[in-house]
Amino acid sequence: MWLMTLTVGLVTLVLVTWLRDYVKRWRMPPGPFFWPIIGNLFSFGGQFFLTFIDLAKTYGDVFSLKLGMTDVVVLNSLDAVKEALVKKGVDFAGRPKTLSGDIFTEGGKDIALTDYSPTWKLHRKLFHSAIRGYASGENLQSKVHESLEDVIAEFSKMEGRAVDLEDYIYKLVYNVICSAAFGVRYNMDDEEFKTLMKVSKDAAEVFGQGTLADVYPSLRYLPLPTITAVKKMTREFFGIFQRHVEQHKETFDPSNLRDITDHMIKAQKDAEEEGIHDVTALTDTHLRQTIGDIFGGGTDTTIMTLRWAILFLAAHPEVQEKVAAELDGAVGRDRLPELSDREATPYTEATIHEVMRMGSIAPLSLPHATTVDTTLRGYQIPKGTWIMPNLWALHHDPATWGDPDVFRPERFLDENGKPIPKPAALMPFSAGRRACPGEAVAKADTFLLLGGLVHNFRFRIPEGEGPPDLTPDVKGGGAGSQPSPYKVVMTCRKK
Ligand code: HEM
């Protein structure tokens, strides 16, 4: 009898909750049917950003979903993204609170995954000043050149062979960001390099797929394998950054700040000694988390962009030739491209824009969350709703681009080859309060790295292979867009 009562009670609770959610949905943006408890969790396979474009055709460019019990609103057009992230910036500047995020950020002590708060603001400000000091201008350029010279020597030995460059690109990018962050450069067989690369790849997969406990927080008490994996990754990843913080503290000299870690230690000391910052917001955990943000934000993104760029250029030799010829004209053959060459190389810049548009390496940006009860297009959006800006949709909208699936850098130039104002729909770094704080570094870094590679090598698809696969790898359910593994043949361009 009690079992029957329990079952009836549970079924009633589920139905009442479901009905309540449907009533709530009346005032929210429209969306597809959702099931009790699971919502739309298992309704879409493959790449969510593509599925969302289809759903927008039925429900409009702002629509709702339910992931488990969590409300999600998808923004599928430039107008919607601008209205939410820019016009109502603060309302939409939060981040979803998830179990995996909470573990990985050691209780929300980072920048990228933590909610909108005074501590987040402080760390974003420190991030900007650290980047300005150690990863911009001449400073960035000399780090890139050092890293490039190393990899160019390695590439030269592989001339004529079909090779997968992925690990070398990891090394190329890590050595720029890690030397700015904590003054370290790696060899390929370095254990720390291998661990960072492995944890980054694992993290992309786990965070891309998400874990059930993120949408059903009560599952946190079960020994879910993904949660165990996130805990292990957190220990490995931040163990490395903590070691660097400790080593820096041992040799810290306030009159000779060497890198971003020293810059952060100085901010910590200022807080302790002079009360310039809030001490409780500058613990060692915050320091290693900010270093993790610079590493995590600055490496995978640039690596994916470079992997897309080399693939697009190999698939479009005519574009590659134009970039190489432009660099030859602006740079000559005796040195590597420099930041001062950017103005004289509009075709190269346009090619980088086109790679970022077509590759859209962060197709759904990072998820946002509403910080208050708010409205969008007259619909109500309750506090805590997850917001997914579909940047892929903006970058592939035929109404904006005409031929969005064609790789055509010329779309960013006028008939005289001069740059036209950048279309607002090109938004690889997102927009508003949470827009990528690394945008300037990323653009400079990509120009120097890609420019340096194309200046030195021709990349082509191996003979006998058909046209390369230019669709994003589906691993990770669509959180990141990266090319499937591919090989290219390199030829040295003559001096
Ligand atoms: C091609 C390269 C890059 C792309 C396409 C990119 C894209 C993005 C996007 C889409 C976001 C989410 C913005 C949002 O939530 O609305 C983001 C956030 C972020 N990026 Fe980047 N990024 C790149 C490079 C970098 C670099 C080089 C760094 C660091 C040096 C960096 C650090 C960060 C950080 C810390 C955040 C979190 C910001 C916050 O939550 O307030 N990114 N990035």
Side-chain angles (χ1 to χ4, degrees):
M1 183 63 184
W2 66 267
L3 191 63
M4 170 95 107
T5 314
L6 185 69
T7 311
V8 171
L10 275 178
V11 170
T12 310
L13 183 69
V14 167
L15 288 178
V16 168
T17 313
W18 190 37
L19 204 65
R20 187 207 57 194
D21 285 349
Y22 256 103
V23 170
K24 188 166 89 180
R25 171 69 75 81
W26 281 342
R27 291 161 181 243
M28 289 185 65
F33 167 85
F34 59 87
W35 295 96
I37 304 177
I38 57 171
N40 301 107
L41 204 54
F42 304 107
S43 309
F44 327 112
Q47 292 141 324
F48 296 156
F49 49 94
L50 296 181
T51 312
F52 291 165
I53 293 178
D54 281 342
L55 287 174
K57 289 179 191 149
T58 309
Y59 300 102
D61 61 343
V62 177
F63 61 85
S64 298
L65 300 171
K66 244 183 154 31
L67 290 186
M69 312 295 278
T70 306
D71 288 310
V72 179
V73 168
V74 181
L75 312 176
N76 235 42
S77 70
L78 175 63
D79 281 353
V81 169
K82 270 187 6 197
E83 188 178 336
L85 304 195
V86 182
K87 275 199 207 136
K88 296 198 160 178
V90 175
D91 291 8
F92 286 83
R95 289 278 188 233
K97 193 162 173 53
T98 61
L99 179 61
S100 55
D102 211 42
I103 295 170
F104 200 66
T105 62
E106 301 179 89
K109 296 191 175 63
D110 72 325
I111 300 171
L113 302 180
T114 203
D115 213 352
Y116 188 72
S117 68
T119 308
W120 167 81
K121 277 190 195 161
L122 167 67
H123 281 279
R124 242 187 103 111
K125 223 167 122 192
L126 285 173
F127 176 98
H128 279 298
S129 56
I131 289 289
R132 258 198 314 278
Y134 303 94
S136 64
E138 286 283 318
N139 221 318
L140 178 72
Q141 184 169 294
S142 63
K143 288 179 172 68
V144 171
H145 284 175
E146 235 179 299
S147 187
L148 263 174
E149 271 154 20
D150 203 15
V151 164
I152 287 172
E154 280 170 315
F155 279 9
S156 305
K157 293 185 210 142
M158 300 187 282
E159 187 169 15
R161 277 191 281 140
V163 272
D164 183 342
L165 300 178
E166 185 174 355
D167 287 2
Y168 295 92
I169 294 176
Y170 266 86
K171 178 178 156 179
L172 186 61
V173 174
Y174 275 19
N175 281 347
V176 176
I177 297 293
C178 295
S179 74
F182 39 79
V184 166
R185 298 182 62 235
Y186 298 111
N187 288 319
M188 302 277 272
D189 52 3
D190 202 307
E191 282 311 315
E192 189 168 293
F193 169 73
K194 287 195 227 164
T195 308
L196 284 173
M197 191 160 77
K198 180 173 181 318
V199 179
S200 294
K201 288 181 183 178
D202 291 351
E205 204 153 320
V206 169
F207 285 104
Q209 282 159 356
T211 118
L212 272 185
D214 290 341
V215 282
Y216 300 111
S218 41
L219 295 183
R220 64 166 56 228
Y221 304 107
L222 299 180
L224 295 177
T226 40
I227 292 300
T228 312
V230 172
K231 285 183 180 160
K232 182 166 175 277
M233 275 187 263
T234 309
R235 275 195 306 276
E236 286 177 336
F237 211 50
F238 293 101
I240 291 176
F241 302 139
Q242 179 60 30
R243 257 201 322 277
H244 286 293
V245 170
E246 281 163 17
Q247 283 163 2
H248 275 65
K249 281 191 172 180
E250 281 163 21
T251 50
F252 180 74
D253 172 4
S255 61
N256 175 29
L257 301 184
R258 297 158 292 187
D259 46 35
I260 291 173
T261 303
D262 270 355
H263 183 89
M264 296 299 297
I265 294 172
K266 168 92 169 49
Q268 190 183 49
K269 289 195 180 296
D270 287 348
E272 285 161 0
E273 290 159 17
E274 297 163 40
I276 294 178
H277 305 297
D278 174 9
V279 186
T280 59
L282 276 160
T283 61
D284 275 7
T285 314
H286 289 98
L287 259 58
R288 61 175 178 257
Q289 281 287 334
T290 295
I291 295 165
D293 273 323
I294 290 169
F295 177 84
T299 54
D300 279 1
T301 47
T302 311
I303 289 162
M304 284 195 249
T305 305
L306 285 176
R307 289 190 60 229
W308 272 126
I310 292 172
L311 182 62
F312 281 126
L313 291 184
H316 297 278
E318 70 295 350
V319 174
Q320 190 177 165
E321 277 315 308
K322 279 193 198 174
V323 172
E326 185 182 68
L327 289 169
D328 282 351
V331 177
R333 297 293 313 153
D334 300 329
R335 62 171 173 88
L336 286 167
E338 295 178 359
L339 290 173
S340 57
D341 298 318
R342 280 174 84 183
E343 220 166 292
T345 51
Y347 192 82
T348 307
E349 290 283 338
T351 302
I352 292 172
H353 287 333
E354 185 66 340
V355 169
M356 290 188 176
R357 183 190 70 80
M358 288 277 285
S360 293
I361 58 118
L364 293 174
S365 183
L366 284 177
H368 286 229
T370 41
T371 53
V372 287
D373 288 342
T374 184
T375 56
L376 187 69
R377 298 270 176 89
Y379 297 117
Q380 292 192 355
I381 319 270
K383 179 179 175 181
T385 303
W386 292 15
I387 306 293
M388 292 196 181
N390 191 353
L391 303 181
W392 179 278
L394 269 58
H395 292 167
H396 291 81
D397 183 356
T400 308
W401 306 102
D403 52 358
D405 299 325
V406 178
F407 184 78
R408 196 167 59 78
E410 287 78 5
R411 68 175 82 246
F412 296 104
L413 301 169
D414 67 14
E415 59 283 4
N416 301 315
K418 299 266 178 284
I420 56 166
K422 194 167 64 69
L426 182 69
M427 216 184 257
F429 300 95
S430 187
R433 305 271 164 156
R434 303 298 295 232
C436 176
E439 175 170 352
V441 187
K443 286 178 172 165
D445 204 13
T446 306
F447 171 81
L448 292 169
L449 290 167
L450 184 65
L453 291 177
V454 176
H455 198 43
N456 280 278
F457 300 98
R458 243 182 215 100
F459 299 92
R460 66 177 166 80
I461 304 298
E463 243 131 68
E465 282 193 15
D469 178 8
L470 296 176
T471 54
D473 197 348
V474 288
K475 260 196 310 212
S481 147
Q482 57 175 326
S484 300
Y486 67 87
K487 290 185 176 175
V488 284
V489 176
M490 290 176 292
T491 333
C492 295
R493 294 186 74 236
K494 298 284 170 261
K495 287 264 176 202

